[in-house]
Amino acid sequence: TQFGVGVPTPPPPQSTAEAAGGDEDGSSGTGAWASWNRLRCLCEHAPNLGVSLELGADLPDDEAELERWLGEPLRAVVTPAVAYLTNKRGYPTLSRRHQAALARLLQHKPRLLVSGRADAHSEGLGAHVQYLRYLVSQRLAPSQQERYEAPYYDFLQAPLQPLQDNLESQTYETFEKDPVKYERYERAVYLYLCQRHQPGGEPAVVMVVGAGRGPLVAATLRASAASGRRVRAFAVEKNPNAVVTLRGRCATEAGWDAVTVVPGDMREWEAPVLADLLVSELLGSWGDNELSPECLDGAQRYLKPGGASIPTDYTSYVAPLSSSRLWNEVKHFKDLAHFETQYVVKVHNAYPMCAPQPCFVFTHPSDARTVAEIGAIDNSRVAQLSFDVPLGGELHGFIGYFHSTLWDDGSEAVHISTEPSTESVGMFSWFPLFIPLRTPVLVPEGGRVEAAFWRNASRHRVWYEWALTEPQPSPIHNPNGRSYHIGL
């Protein structure tokens, strides 16, 4: 059974005593959100408890007050008849601000209700319902990217284990449809060739490590043709099914006669020549969480002194997240291990509580070249981050992004990013990462969230640990990788 709790926004007027005392928890929305949150906590965050949000005649001055409800289980939006204006023809209409607020809330597909007296209009409340239907019909049709992403909204997926598992053809096919990623890679290789090599000179030796079914190889060949610089390409791939596709492309596609297919692990292959450039797409949703550092460290043994890497660097980002939906999805498993696992998810029913901050940074190539030097590289990291949260809320975990520089020749830089301020619009190869907390924590208005994140590495695996320190300490999640790790 589902239960909807009616919540007015703005809340009813306070008494003088309430206005003087405020909320004990210090959170904002002294009647509405704080009261809803108290009820939710009393019900142990029951997943069948939802919000019926009433948009009153006066909306909150702070737009973030409404944004915060995007992280709550929104079941319905109620528009009382008194909130409507009357247009020139005598029919009900909503203010532009109400229309904008309703359009934002409609992203979560709540039920739309009208409340009030039946005599609010000569045609009754039916006139209001007809107007709401008109507003819904005027919404823009979803883009191709939105249609692709919609089935994955708030659907938890374990990150890929590219070294332990061989990807299926369907997974490759999905990634290869990305309209942005390979255009950016092609541009990066083009800039590299123009900066480092001369037309008519010796071919640049380009090694595509983790070549998959060849989209990066094809991008490299297009960049070669566009720049007028020749390349000698090696496609290194351990997945035997992808190797079959690569060999088929060499036999049938124009220009692929300059490509040598290498079946095997990039960390173990003994290259016949040294490379001018390493090209890879080993990034995960949090940048380094699919073992790009470990893979590229092993591959740079066959990079020339002064050789280059695309990408040249990548940085993980993280921000506090309020999402009752995602937290309850993890709670549904009823065990500790799932609260100590990170998830790839197209975050939808959520409220990022503030801007993300950089966490872990990796650059390539390093100065290490010998086996001993490469073996001594330490890819462990630790970050202690502090976030100022303007508007209080329930903290359910963190959301992770990445930003990567593919190439920067001094005059032009090519990036790919899922971090909101620099996001590569239209790129869908990576969804954000959800990092859950075992227990939700209330953050007061104007409060601070402090957390520590660790990236740990051993000879055979990599794992992450995280812990909250403010506004109250939490246990360290996933100590020693007891619940989740990535195998080397």
Side-chain angles (χ1 to χ4, degrees):
T1 304
Q2 299 292 319
F3 296 93
V5 180
V7 180
T9 177
Q14 297 172 270
S15 68
T16 304
E18 289 174 325
D23 280 335
E24 289 181 2
D25 56 31
S27 62
S28 62
T30 50
W33 186 88
S35 296
W36 149 251
N37 192 54
R38 279 193 289 268
L39 176 61
R40 169 175 54 187
C41 292
L42 289 169
C43 297
E44 299 184 295
H45 298 264
N48 60 339
L49 192 66
V51 173
S52 293
L53 188 66
E54 180 179 301
L55 295 181
D58 298 315
L59 295 178
D61 294 331
D62 188 352
E63 295 292 338
E65 288 276 3
L66 285 175
E67 292 286 322
R68 179 168 56 183
W69 291 106
L70 298 178
E72 303 297 348
L74 191 63
R75 301 281 192 266
V77 175
V78 183
T79 53
V82 295
Y84 286 77
L85 307 174
T86 303
N87 65 16
K88 294 179 180 179
R89 298 175 60 187
Y91 285 94
T93 184
L94 289 171
S95 70
R96 291 189 180 276
R97 194 155 175 249
H98 278 77
Q99 291 180 44
L102 189 60
R104 190 81 175 89
L105 297 171
L106 281 175
Q107 294 182 10
H108 298 311
K109 299 182 178 179
R111 294 182 178 182
L112 295 182
L113 306 176
V114 179
S115 65
R117 293 170 55 90
D119 59 358
H121 187 269
S122 59
E123 298 181 15
L125 294 180
H128 301 75
V129 173
Q130 183 178 0
Y131 174 71
L132 290 179
R133 286 175 176 160
Y134 167 76
L135 287 184
V136 172
S137 70
Q138 295 303 298
R139 296 182 67 203
L140 294 176
S143 65
Q144 179 180 355
Q145 181 179 356
E146 289 171 333
R147 288 195 298 270
Y148 165 75
E149 294 174 344
Y152 300 99
Y153 285 162
D154 300 321
F155 178 71
L156 303 179
Q157 304 174 73
L160 296 174
Q161 296 257 10
L163 290 184
Q164 288 190 333
D165 305 325
N166 289 324
L167 301 185
E168 299 178 354
S169 292
Q170 184 177 359
T171 305
Y172 284 124
E173 185 175 352
T174 299
F175 291 156
E176 289 165 6
K177 292 178 180 177
D178 194 308
V180 175
K181 176 172 63 173
Y182 296 112
E183 180 272 328
R184 298 282 175 90
Y185 267 96
E186 179 180 341
R187 183 63 181 172
V189 175
Y190 171 86
L191 292 175
Y192 161 81
L193 291 173
C194 291
Q195 182 183 20
R196 298 282 188 95
H197 298 271
Q198 298 299 320
E202 288 295 315
V205 178
V206 179
M207 294 184 179
V208 180
V209 290
R213 303 197 310 180
L216 279 186
V217 179
T220 298
L221 296 177
R222 291 194 300 269
S224 171
S227 65
R229 277 77 168 173
R230 295 185 299 154
V231 298
R232 178 186 177 189
F234 291 83
V236 187
E237 176 54 50
K238 72 175 183 63
N239 186 339
N241 295 321
V243 168
V244 172
T245 303
L246 288 170
R247 286 173 170 162
R249 297 188 73 169
C250 288
T252 60
E253 295 189 25
W256 279 67
D257 53 337
V259 179
T260 301
V261 178
V262 180
D265 191 319
M266 68 185 77
R267 298 168 297 171
E268 301 172 356
W269 177 48
E270 295 298 332
V273 295
L274 294 180
D276 296 293
L277 175 67
L278 292 180
V279 182
S280 65
E281 53 173 332
L282 304 170
L283 300 174
S285 292
W286 210 23
D288 56 86
N289 66 308
E290 290 185 14
L291 307 183
S292 180
E294 286 73 19
C295 292
L296 292 181
D297 287 346
Q300 72 178 27
R301 294 181 296 111
Y302 39 82
L303 189 63
K304 289 179 181 178
S309 170
I310 293 178
T312 63
D313 65 57
Y314 38 92
T315 302
S316 57
Y317 283 77
V318 68
L321 186 74
S322 178
S323 177
S324 176
R325 169 74 180 273
L326 291 180
W327 189 85
N328 273 300
E329 289 289 325
V330 180
K331 180 186 176 185
H332 177 75
F333 292 105
K334 299 180 180 179
D335 61 25
L336 173 64
H338 282 85
F339 276 112
E340 297 189 334
T341 300
Q342 301 174 343
Y343 299 94
V344 175
V345 58
K346 180 56 184 176
V347 176
H348 186 63
N349 190 178
Y351 169 56
M353 302 175 77
C354 62
Q357 293 185 21
C359 191
F360 305 136
V361 180
F362 290 88
T363 60
H364 298 285
S366 70
D367 295 330
R369 286 296 180 271
T370 68
V371 173
E373 290 174 339
I374 292 171
I377 295 175
D378 183 9
N379 287 319
S380 300
R381 298 286 191 277
V382 61
Q384 181 79 34
L385 302 178
S386 179
F387 305 88
D388 291 323
V389 177
L391 188 68
E394 195 79 0
L395 175 65
H396 295 98
F398 297 87
I399 183 170
Y401 309 98
F402 78 87
H403 176 96
S404 174
T405 302
L406 296 182
W407 187 254
D408 187 348
D409 65 1
S411 60
E412 180 181 348
V414 183
H415 306 279
I416 53 174
S417 175
T418 62
E419 195 275 313
S421 68
T422 58
E423 181 181 6
S424 301
V425 178
M427 186 176 70
F428 57 73
S429 289
W430 293 277
F431 291 156
L433 197 75
F434 177 53
I435 306 170
L437 288 173
R438 285 161 56 177
T439 305
V441 174
L442 180 63
V443 181
E445 182 175 358
R448 176 169 294 178
V449 172
E450 293 185 359
F453 300 88
W454 294 268
R455 186 187 198 269
N456 300 302
S458 69
R459 289 186 61 188
H460 302 292
R461 60 186 190 141
V462 171
W463 71 96
Y464 296 88
E465 301 174 11
W466 61 97
L468 189 68
T469 55
E470 289 289 342
Q472 66 185 53
S474 75
I476 294 177
H477 292 60
N478 198 36
N480 297 316
R482 68 182 177 188
S483 297
Y484 178 77
H485 65 269
I486 309 105
L488 287 169

